[in-house]
Amino acid sequence: MTLDLLAIAAHPDDVELTCGGTLLKSRAQGYRTGILDLTAGEMGTRGTPALRAKEAAHAAKILKVSWRGTLGVPDSDVQASRQYKLAVARTIRTLRPRTVIIPYWDARHPDHYNASTLAYEGCFLAGLKALPLEGEPFRPFKILYCTLFADVRPTFVVDITAHFKQRRNAILAYSSQFRPKGAAKRSKVFIPLDTLEDDMNLLARHFGNLIGVKYGEPFLQKELVQIDDVVDLPVRSF
Ligand SMILES: [Zn+2]
């Protein structure tokens, strides 16, 4: 199977929170989309690995992705080691996505910034012809960084207004994380559902507001954006 767009992140639910609306929008535009979770999220305070896998599969259905896989990197120990870079490269050679969304390179959680390096370097390695790795060499055309939680100005914002409700459903598929039962509810790291809802709405509204729509998801690319028609540009100045 080959994809047009692949999102790579450290933990199941990272993609839903940072670029779920963009995956839904791309699917609606006719693109084949996918998710590569580097870890299974097994160090999470709540929920068993089996339960988290079930939730991730459910969320994948809601996001209408054609493919979702887990690389098997140990949770809380994501590192850009040779072994895992080759594993990312192998996946890239199989799925051949034109565009890959990866985490922004600066973050509070070490897994998140290490996931950024691991994903970037894995994508690069996949294109090396002399690499002793099975599969046809392939390098994605474009790398996009998710910047939703980063303190950085994005390069552009995707209007996800039409997909906001569906994205919310995908996030809430992780009920062990956001709607825990019993003793887990009293855990210190518990994210209450109303706080999560507030954050989801606030961030999506903030970035939507910056481009004059209701809800948006921000991204950064290292390259400059090329424009061919300066008359028909979106986002009004006044
Ligand atoms: Zn995470």
Side-chain angles (χ1 to χ4, degrees), residues 26-99:
S26 301
R27 181 73 200 104
Q29 287 164 335
Y31 293 116
R32 288 171 73 87
T33 59
I35 300 169
L36 175 62
D37 301 308
L38 296 174
T39 80
E42 70 273 13
M43 293 300 282
T45 309
R46 292 169 304 276
T48 60
L51 179 59
R52 293 204 71 173
K54 219 174 127 192
E55 291 170 349
H58 184 208
K61 270 204 190 111
I62 297 171
L63 289 181
K64 300 175 188 160
V65 294
S66 306
W67 184 89
R68 182 169 208 158
T70 307
L71 203 68
V73 177
D75 189 3
S76 84
D77 196 23
V78 174
Q79 286 174 28
S81 67
R82 179 81 178 164
Q83 177 197 356
Y84 291 122
K85 281 194 273 188
L86 289 176
V88 171
R90 200 174 287 121
T91 307
I92 294 293
R93 282 185 174 191
T94 307
L95 299 173
R96 312 178 86 74
R98 185 183 194 275
T99 300

Coordinates of all heavy atoms in Angstrom, one line a residue, residues 26-99:
S26 N -7.5 16.0 4.3 CA -6.8 15.4 3.2 C -7.5 14.2 2.7 O -7.6 14.0 1.4 CB -5.4 15.0 3.6 OG -4.7 16.1 4.1
R27 N -8.1 13.4 3.6 CA -8.9 12.3 3.1 C -10.1 12.7 2.3 O -10.4 12.1 1.2 CB -9.4 11.5 4.3 CG -10.1 10.2 4.0 CD -9.2 9.1 3.4 NE -10.0 8.1 2.7 CZ -10.0 8.1 1.4 NH1 -9.3 8.9 0.6 NH2 -10.7 7.1 0.7
A28 N -10.8 13.8 2.8 CA -11.9 14.3 2.0 C -11.5 14.9 0.7 O -12.3 14.9 -0.3 CB -12.6 15.4 2.9
Q29 N -10.3 15.3 0.5 CA -9.7 15.8 -0.7 C -9.3 14.6 -1.7 O -8.8 14.9 -2.8 CB -8.6 16.7 -0.5 CG -9.0 18.1 0.1 CD -7.9 18.9 0.7 OE1 -6.9 18.3 1.1 NE2 -8.0 20.2 0.7
G30 N -9.5 13.4 -1.2 CA -9.2 12.2 -2.0 C -7.8 11.6 -1.8 O -7.4 10.7 -2.6
Y31 N -7.1 12.1 -0.8 CA -5.7 11.5 -0.6 C -5.8 10.3 0.3 O -6.6 10.2 1.2 CB -4.8 12.6 0.0 CG -4.5 13.7 -0.9 CD1 -4.9 15.0 -0.6 CD2 -3.8 13.5 -2.1 CE1 -4.7 16.1 -1.5 CE2 -3.5 14.5 -3.0 CZ -3.9 15.8 -2.7 OH -3.7 16.9 -3.5
R32 N -4.8 9.4 0.1 CA -4.7 8.3 1.0 C -3.7 8.7 2.2 O -2.6 9.2 2.0 CB -4.1 7.1 0.3 CG -5.0 6.5 -0.7 CD -4.3 5.5 -1.5 NE -4.0 4.3 -0.8 CZ -4.9 3.3 -0.7 NH1 -6.0 3.3 -1.2 NH2 -4.6 2.2 0.0
T33 N -4.2 8.5 3.4 CA -3.5 9.0 4.6 C -3.2 7.8 5.5 O -3.8 6.8 5.5 CB -4.4 10.0 5.4 OG1 -5.6 9.3 5.7 CG2 -4.8 11.2 4.5
G34 N -2.2 8.1 6.4 CA -1.8 7.1 7.4 C -1.1 7.7 8.6 O -0.8 8.8 8.6
I35 N -1.0 6.8 9.6 CA -0.4 7.2 10.9 C 0.7 6.2 11.3 O 0.4 5.0 11.3 CB -1.4 7.3 12.0 CG1 -2.5 8.3 11.7 CG2 -0.8 7.7 13.3 CD1 -3.7 8.3 12.6
L36 N 1.9 6.6 11.6 CA 2.9 5.8 12.2 C 3.1 6.2 13.7 O 3.7 7.3 13.9 CB 4.2 5.8 11.4 CG 5.3 5.0 12.1 CD1 5.0 3.5 12.2 CD2 6.6 5.2 11.3
D37 N 2.7 5.4 14.6 CA 3.0 5.7 16.1 C 4.3 5.1 16.4 O 4.5 3.9 16.2 CB 1.9 5.1 17.0 CG 0.5 5.6 16.7 OD1 0.3 6.8 16.6 OD2 -0.4 4.7 16.5
L38 N 5.3 5.8 16.9 CA 6.6 5.3 17.1 C 6.6 4.3 18.3 O 7.2 3.3 18.3 CB 7.6 6.4 17.4 CG 7.9 7.3 16.2 CD1 8.8 8.5 16.5 CD2 8.5 6.5 15.0
T39 N 5.8 4.7 19.4 CA 5.7 3.8 20.5 C 4.2 3.4 20.7 O 3.3 4.0 20.0 CB 6.1 4.5 21.8 OG1 5.0 5.4 22.3 CG2 7.3 5.4 21.7
A40 N 4.0 2.4 21.5 CA 2.6 2.0 21.8 C 2.0 2.7 23.0 O 0.9 2.4 23.4 CB 2.6 0.5 22.0
G41 N 2.7 3.7 23.5 CA 2.2 4.5 24.6 C 2.1 3.6 25.9 O 1.3 3.9 26.8
E42 N 3.0 2.6 26.0 CA 2.9 1.7 27.2 C 3.3 2.3 28.5 O 3.0 1.7 29.5 CB 3.7 0.4 26.9 CG 5.2 0.5 26.9 CD 5.8 0.9 25.5 OE1 5.0 1.4 24.6 OE2 7.0 0.9 25.4
M43 N 3.9 3.4 28.5 CA 4.3 4.1 29.8 C 3.2 5.0 30.3 O 3.4 5.6 31.4 CB 5.6 4.8 29.7 CG 6.8 4.0 29.4 SD 7.2 2.8 30.7 CE 7.9 3.9 31.9
G44 N 2.1 5.1 29.6 CA 1.0 5.9 30.0 C 0.5 5.5 31.4 O 0.5 4.3 31.8
T45 N 0.1 6.5 32.2 CA -0.3 6.3 33.6 C -1.6 5.5 33.6 O -1.8 4.6 34.4 CB -0.5 7.6 34.3 OG1 0.7 8.4 34.1 CG2 -0.7 7.4 35.8
R46 N -2.4 5.7 32.6 CA -3.7 5.1 32.6 C -3.9 4.2 31.4 O -3.3 4.5 30.3 CB -4.9 6.1 32.5 CG -5.0 6.9 33.8 CD -5.9 8.1 33.5 NE -5.5 8.9 32.4 CZ -4.6 9.9 32.5 NH1 -4.0 10.1 33.7 NH2 -4.2 10.6 31.5
G47 N -4.6 3.1 31.5 CA -4.9 2.2 30.4 C -3.8 1.2 30.1 O -2.7 1.5 30.3
T48 N -4.2 0.0 29.8 CA -3.2 -1.0 29.4 C -2.8 -0.9 28.0 O -3.5 -0.2 27.2 CB -3.8 -2.4 29.6 OG1 -4.9 -2.5 28.7 CG2 -4.3 -2.6 31.0
P49 N -1.6 -1.4 27.6 CA -1.2 -1.4 26.1 C -2.3 -2.0 25.2 O -2.6 -1.4 24.2 CB 0.0 -2.2 26.1 CG 0.6 -2.1 27.5 CD -0.6 -2.0 28.4
A50 N -3.0 -3.0 25.7 CA -4.0 -3.6 24.8 C -5.2 -2.7 24.6 O -5.7 -2.5 23.5 CB -4.5 -4.9 25.5
L51 N -5.5 -2.0 25.7 CA -6.7 -1.0 25.6 C -6.3 0.2 24.8 O -7.1 0.6 23.9 CB -7.0 -0.6 27.1 CG -8.2 0.5 27.1 CD1 -9.5 -0.1 26.5 CD2 -8.4 0.9 28.6
R52 N -5.0 0.6 24.9 CA -4.6 1.8 24.1 C -4.6 1.4 22.6 O -4.9 2.2 21.8 CB -3.2 2.3 24.6 CG -3.3 2.9 26.0 CD -2.2 3.9 26.2 NE -2.4 5.1 25.5 CZ -1.6 6.2 25.6 NH1 -0.6 6.2 26.5 NH2 -1.8 7.2 24.9
A53 N -4.2 0.2 22.3 CA -4.1 -0.3 20.9 C -5.5 -0.3 20.3 O -5.8 0.1 19.2 CB -3.5 -1.7 20.8
K54 N -6.5 -0.7 21.2 CA -7.9 -0.8 20.7 C -8.4 0.6 20.5 O -9.1 0.9 19.5 CB -8.7 -1.4 21.8 CG -9.8 -2.4 21.3 CD -10.5 -3.1 22.5 CE -12.0 -2.9 22.4 NZ -12.7 -3.3 23.6
E55 N -8.0 1.5 21.4 CA -8.5 2.9 21.2 C -7.8 3.6 19.9 O -8.5 4.3 19.2 CB -8.1 3.8 22.4 CG -8.9 3.4 23.7 CD -8.4 4.0 25.0 OE1 -7.3 4.6 25.0 OE2 -9.1 4.0 26.0
A56 N -6.6 3.3 19.7 CA -5.9 3.8 18.5 C -6.5 3.3 17.2 O -6.6 4.1 16.3 CB -4.4 3.5 18.6
A57 N -6.9 2.0 17.2 CA -7.5 1.5 16.0 C -8.9 2.1 15.8 O -9.3 2.4 14.7 CB -7.7 -0.1 16.2
H58 N -9.6 2.4 16.9 CA -10.9 3.0 16.8 C -10.7 4.5 16.3 O -11.4 4.9 15.4 CB -11.6 3.0 18.2 CG -12.9 3.6 18.2 ND1 -13.5 4.2 19.3 CD2 -13.9 3.7 17.2 CE1 -14.7 4.6 19.0 NE2 -15.0 4.3 17.7
A59 N -9.7 5.2 16.8 CA -9.5 6.5 16.4 C -9.1 6.6 14.9 O -9.5 7.5 14.1 CB -8.4 7.2 17.2
A60 N -8.3 5.6 14.5 CA -7.9 5.5 13.0 C -9.1 5.4 12.1 O -9.1 6.0 11.0 CB -7.0 4.3 12.8
K61 N -10.1 4.6 12.6 CA -11.3 4.5 11.8 C -12.0 5.8 11.7 O -12.5 6.2 10.6 CB -12.3 3.5 12.5 CG -12.0 2.1 12.0 CD -13.3 1.2 12.2 CE -12.9 -0.2 11.9 NZ -12.9 -1.1 13.1
I62 N -12.1 6.5 12.8 CA -12.8 7.8 12.8 C -12.1 8.8 11.9 O -12.7 9.6 11.2 CB -12.9 8.4 14.3 CG1 -13.8 7.4 15.1 CG2 -13.5 9.8 14.3 CD1 -13.8 7.7 16.6
L63 N -10.7 8.7 11.9 CA -9.9 9.6 11.1 C -9.9 9.2 9.6 O -9.3 9.9 8.8 CB -8.5 9.8 11.6 CG -8.3 10.5 12.9 CD1 -6.9 10.6 13.3 CD2 -8.9 11.9 12.8
K64 N -10.5 8.0 9.3 CA -10.5 7.5 8.0 C -9.2 7.3 7.3 O -9.0 7.5 6.1 CB -11.4 8.4 7.1 CG -12.8 8.5 7.6 CD -13.6 9.5 6.8 CE -15.0 9.7 7.4 NZ -15.6 11.0 7.0
V65 N -8.2 6.9 8.1 CA -6.8 6.7 7.5 C -6.8 5.3 6.9 O -7.5 4.4 7.3 CB -5.7 6.8 8.6 CG1 -5.6 8.2 9.1 CG2 -5.9 5.9 9.8
S66 N -6.0 5.1 5.9 CA -5.9 3.9 5.2 C -4.9 2.9 5.9 O -5.0 1.7 5.6 CB -5.4 4.1 3.7 OG -6.2 5.0 3.1
W67 N -4.1 3.5 6.7 CA -3.1 2.6 7.4 C -2.7 3.2 8.7 O -2.6 4.4 8.9 CB -1.8 2.6 6.4 CG -0.7 1.7 6.9 CD1 -0.6 0.4 6.6 CD2 0.4 2.0 7.8 NE1 0.6 -0.1 7.3 CE2 1.2 0.9 8.0 CE3 0.8 3.3 8.4 CZ2 2.3 0.9 8.7 CZ3 1.9 3.2 9.2 CH2 2.7 2.1 9.3
R68 N -2.5 2.4 9.7 CA -1.9 2.8 11.0 C -1.0 1.7 11.5 O -1.4 0.5 11.5 CB -3.0 3.1 12.0 CG -2.4 3.6 13.3 CD -3.4 4.2 14.3 NE -2.8 5.2 15.2 CZ -3.4 6.2 15.8 NH1 -4.8 6.2 15.7 NH2 -2.8 7.0 16.5
G69 N 0.2 2.1 11.9 CA 1.1 1.1 12.4 C 1.9 1.6 13.6 O 1.9 2.8 13.9
T70 N 2.5 0.7 14.4 CA 3.3 1.0 15.5 C 4.7 0.5 15.3 O 4.9 -0.7 14.9 CB 2.8 0.4 16.8 OG1 1.4 0.7 16.9 CG2 3.5 0.8 18.0
L71 N 5.7 1.3 15.5 CA 7.1 1.0 15.2 C 7.7 0.1 16.3 O 8.7 -0.6 16.0 CB 7.9 2.2 14.9 CG 9.2 2.0 14.1 CD1 8.8 1.7 12.7 CD2 10.1 3.2 14.1
G72 N 7.3 0.2 17.5 CA 7.8 -0.6 18.6 C 9.0 0.0 19.3 O 9.7 -0.7 20.0
V73 N 9.1 1.3 19.2 CA 10.1 2.1 20.0 C 9.6 2.1 21.5 O 8.4 2.2 21.7 CB 10.3 3.5 19.5 CG1 11.3 4.3 20.3 CG2 10.7 3.5 18.0
P74 N 10.5 1.9 22.5 CA 10.0 1.9 23.8 C 9.5 3.3 24.2 O 10.2 4.3 24.0 CB 11.3 1.5 24.7 CG 12.4 1.2 23.7 CD 12.0 1.6 22.4
D75 N 8.3 3.3 24.8 CA 7.8 4.6 25.3 C 8.6 5.1 26.4 O 9.2 4.4 27.2 CB 6.3 4.3 25.8 CG 5.6 5.5 26.1 OD1 6.1 6.6 25.9 OD2 4.4 5.4 26.6
S76 N 8.8 6.5 26.4 CA 9.6 7.2 27.3 C 11.1 7.1 27.0 O 12.0 7.6 27.7 CB 9.4 6.9 28.8 OG 10.1 5.8 29.2
D77 N 11.5 6.4 25.9 CA 12.9 6.2 25.6 C 13.0 6.3 24.0 O 13.8 5.6 23.4 CB 13.4 4.8 26.1 CG 14.9 4.8 26.0 OD1 15.6 5.9 26.1 OD2 15.5 3.7 26.0
V78 N 12.3 7.3 23.4 CA 12.4 7.5 22.0 C 13.8 8.2 21.7 O 14.1 9.2 22.3 CB 11.3 8.4 21.5 CG1 11.5 8.8 20.0 CG2 9.9 7.7 21.7
Q79 N 14.5 7.5 20.9 CA 15.8 8.1 20.5 C 16.1 7.8 19.0 O 15.6 6.8 18.5 CB 16.9 7.4 21.3 CG 17.0 7.9 22.7 CD 18.0 7.1 23.6 OE1 19.0 6.6 23.1 NE2 17.7 7.0 24.9
A80 N 16.8 8.7 18.4 CA 17.1 8.6 17.0 C 18.3 7.6 16.8 O 19.4 8.0 16.3 CB 17.4 9.9 16.4
S81 N 18.1 6.4 17.3 CA 19.2 5.4 17.1 C 19.2 4.8 15.7 O 18.2 4.9 15.0 CB 19.0 4.2 18.1 OG 17.8 3.5 17.8
R82 N 20.3 4.2 15.3 CA 20.4 3.6 14.0 C 19.3 2.6 13.7 O 18.7 2.6 12.7 CB 21.8 3.0 13.9 CG 22.1 2.3 12.5 CD 22.5 3.3 11.5 NE 22.9 2.7 10.2 CZ 23.0 3.4 9.1 NH1 22.8 4.7 9.1 NH2 23.3 2.8 8.0
Q83 N 19.1 1.8 14.7 CA 18.1 0.7 14.6 C 16.7 1.3 14.3 O 16.0 0.8 13.3 CB 18.0 0.0 15.9 CG 17.0 -1.1 16.0 CD 16.7 -1.5 17.5 OE1 17.3 -1.1 18.4 NE2 15.7 -2.4 17.7
Y84 N 16.3 2.3 15.0 CA 14.9 2.8 14.7 C 14.9 3.7 13.5 O 13.8 3.8 12.9 CB 14.4 3.5 16.0 CG 14.1 2.5 17.1 CD1 14.8 2.5 18.3 CD2 13.3 1.4 16.8 CE1 14.5 1.5 19.3 CE2 13.1 0.4 17.8 CZ 13.7 0.5 19.0 OH 13.4 -0.5 19.9
K85 N 16.0 4.4 13.2 CA 16.0 5.2 12.0 C 15.8 4.3 10.8 O 15.0 4.6 9.8 CB 17.3 6.0 11.8 CG 17.4 7.2 12.7 CD 18.5 8.1 12.3 CE 19.8 7.7 13.0 NZ 20.9 8.7 12.8
L86 N 16.4 3.1 10.8 CA 16.3 2.1 9.7 C 14.8 1.6 9.7 O 14.3 1.4 8.6 CB 17.3 1.0 9.9 CG 18.7 1.3 9.6 CD1 19.6 0.1 9.9 CD2 18.9 1.8 8.1
A87 N 14.3 1.4 10.9 CA 12.9 0.9 10.9 C 11.9 2.0 10.3 O 11.0 1.6 9.6 CB 12.5 0.6 12.4
V88 N 12.2 3.3 10.6 CA 11.4 4.3 10.0 C 11.6 4.3 8.5 O 10.6 4.4 7.7 CB 11.7 5.7 10.6 CG1 11.0 6.8 9.8 CG2 11.3 5.8 12.0
A89 N 12.8 4.2 8.1 CA 13.2 4.2 6.6 C 12.5 3.1 5.9 O 12.0 3.2 4.8 CB 14.7 4.1 6.4
R90 N 12.4 1.9 6.5 CA 11.8 0.7 5.9 C 10.3 1.0 5.7 O 9.7 0.7 4.7 CB 11.9 -0.5 6.9 CG 11.7 -1.8 6.2 CD 12.0 -3.0 7.2 NE 13.5 -3.1 7.5 CZ 14.0 -3.0 8.7 NH1 13.3 -2.8 9.7 NH2 15.3 -3.2 8.8
T91 N 9.6 1.6 6.7 CA 8.2 2.0 6.6 C 8.0 3.0 5.5 O 7.0 2.9 4.7 CB 7.7 2.6 7.9 OG1 8.0 1.7 9.0 CG2 6.2 2.8 7.9
I92 N 8.9 4.0 5.4 CA 8.8 5.0 4.4 C 8.9 4.4 3.0 O 8.2 4.7 2.0 CB 9.8 6.1 4.6 CG1 9.6 6.9 5.9 CG2 9.9 7.1 3.4 CD1 8.3 7.7 5.9
R93 N 9.8 3.5 2.8 CA 10.0 2.8 1.5 C 8.8 2.0 1.1 O 8.5 1.8 0.0 CB 11.3 1.9 1.6 CG 12.6 2.7 1.5 CD 13.8 1.7 1.4 NE 15.0 2.5 1.2 CZ 16.2 2.0 0.9 NH1 16.3 0.7 0.8 NH2 17.2 2.7 0.6
T94 N 8.1 1.5 2.1 CA 6.9 0.7 1.8 C 5.7 1.6 1.5 O 5.0 1.3 0.5 CB 6.6 -0.2 3.1 OG1 7.7 -1.0 3.5 CG2 5.4 -1.1 2.8
L95 N 5.5 2.6 2.3 CA 4.3 3.4 2.1 C 4.5 4.6 1.1 O 3.5 5.1 0.6 CB 3.9 4.0 3.5 CG 3.6 3.0 4.6 CD1 3.4 3.7 5.9 CD2 2.3 2.2 4.2
R96 N 5.7 5.0 0.9 CA 6.1 6.0 -0.1 C 5.2 7.3 -0.1 O 4.6 7.7 -1.1 CB 6.0 5.4 -1.5 CG 6.8 4.1 -1.6 CD 6.8 3.4 -2.9 NE 7.9 3.8 -3.8 CZ 9.2 3.5 -3.6 NH1 9.6 2.8 -2.6 NH2 10.0 4.0 -4.5
P97 N 5.0 7.9 1.1 CA 4.2 9.1 1.2 C 4.9 10.3 0.5 O 6.1 10.5 0.7 CB 4.0 9.3 2.7 CG 5.3 8.7 3.2 CD 5.7 7.6 2.4
R98 N 4.1 11.1 -0.2 CA 4.7 12.3 -0.8 C 5.0 13.3 0.3 O 6.1 14.0 0.3 CB 3.8 13.0 -1.8 CG 4.4 14.2 -2.5 CD 3.5 14.9 -3.4 NE 4.2 15.8 -4.3 CZ 4.5 17.0 -4.0 NH1 4.2 17.5 -2.9 NH2 5.1 17.8 -4.9
T99 N 4.1 13.4 1.3 CA 4.3 14.4 2.4 C 4.2 13.7 3.7 O 3.4 12.8 3.9 CB 3.2 15.5 2.3 OG1 3.3 16.1 1.1 CG2 3.2 16.5 3.5

